[in-house]
Amino acid sequence: MAVSVDLFGTLVAVSRPAEPADAVARELRERGVAVPDDWATAYREPQVTVEAGAELPLSEHVREALASRGVDADAETVAAAVRGAFDGPVETREGAETAVAAAAERGPVGVLSNCSVAGLVERTLRRSALDPDRFDAVVASVDCGYRKPDRRAFEAVAGALDVAVADLVHVGDDPATDGGAEDAGARSVLLTDTDLADLPGELEAMGCR
C-alpha cells in the first residue's frame, strides 16, 4: 500500500496573484523581455492545442503568446519569469506534518499535484514546514504530462511509488480532481469528508496498517 497526497489546498495554502497575466508580465520585464501592449489579451488566448487530460506547461503557453505578438524569448528566461510570478508565500496547513508521518508509517508516500509551473511543487515543498525527505516521490502534472482526474496522473504516482494503482490511496481536497483516483482504480480520502488531522484514523479504518 502507498499513499499519495495533493499539495496545494491539502498540505499547504499558498497565495496566488489576483491577475496572473500582470504578474507574469512584471517578471518578464524584470528579465528584459519586451512585453506586448496587448499582453493581457495574448495571455488569455489559446495558444497550443493539447489532448484532454494533458498538462501544458505554462511557460510554453507564455512563449507562444509572446511569439504570437512577434516577441522571441529564451525558454529558460520565460520559465524563470513564470515561476517567479507564482512563487508566493507558503503556509503549511495544520495537521499536515502529522498526516504525512502517519502515511509514511504505512508504506511509501508521495505528492501528486496539479501544477503547470515547472519546479514550483518542489520549491513549495522546500519552503513549507514539511520535510521533503518524508516523500518517496513527488509527481507534478507539468512533469508527468497529465492532470488529475486523468487516470494517467494516478498511474504516474503509483509507478513512482512502485505499487499497483489498486494499492494506492490518494488524499486531497478537491472531489473533481482528487476524486478521480476512484475512477483510476485507486482509493481516495477527500478532505471535504475528513479533516486532515483525522487522516491517521481514516487510513487505519481503510485497513492501511
Side-chain angles (χ1 to χ4, degrees):
M1 191 280 301
V3 176
S4 61
V5 189
D6 173 57
L7 180 61
F8 302 108
T10 298
L11 295 177
V12 302
V14 297
S15 298
R16 291 285 185 246
E19 295 294 338
D22 292 345
V24 171
R26 181 177 61 252
E27 295 289 335
L28 288 170
R29 291 190 184 100
E30 288 182 358
R31 290 164 175 79
V33 177
V35 178
D37 292 338
D38 65 340
W39 172 246
T41 299
Y43 185 88
R44 291 179 174 84
E45 290 174 349
Q47 300 293 339
V48 181
T49 301
V50 295
E51 66 171 304
E55 179 68 276
L56 173 69
L58 184 56
S59 60
E60 184 177 336
H61 167 77
V62 169
R63 283 195 77 199
E64 291 294 333
L66 290 168
S68 73
R69 300 310 195 260
V71 178
D72 183 24
D74 175 74
E76 291 186 6
T77 299
V78 171
V82 168
R83 191 161 50 249
F86 291 88
D87 191 14
V90 177
E91 178 185 351
T92 305
R93 294 194 62 214
E94 184 177 355
E97 294 173 272
T98 300
V100 172
E105 290 174 357
R106 290 162 171 81
V109 59
V111 166
L112 176 61
S113 177
N114 281 353
C115 182
S116 64
V117 181
L120 186 61
V121 167
E122 293 83 357
R123 179 162 171 76
T124 299
L125 277 175
R126 290 194 299 270
R127 295 177 64 202
S128 75
L130 297 163
D131 179 2
D133 291 336
R134 280 280 194 183
F135 299 100
D136 299 285
V138 175
V139 177
S141 58
V142 70
D143 297 320
C144 76
Y146 300 101
R147 293 180 65 83
K148 298 172 294 182
D150 193 286
R151 66 179 300 112
R152 290 167 290 190
F154 298 102
E155 289 169 352
V157 75
L161 294 171
D162 199 26
V163 298
V165 174
D167 294 325
L168 178 71
V169 175
H170 179 71
V171 182
D173 67 305
D174 187 348
T177 57
D178 299 304
E182 300 284 342
D183 291 334
R187 291 180 289 174
S188 66
V189 177
L190 296 176
L191 300 187
T192 51
D193 305 318
T194 302
D195 288 337
L196 192 59
D198 295 332
L199 182 60
E202 184 70 18
L203 291 175
E204 186 164 346
M206 296 172 72
C208 305
R209 304 177 185 281

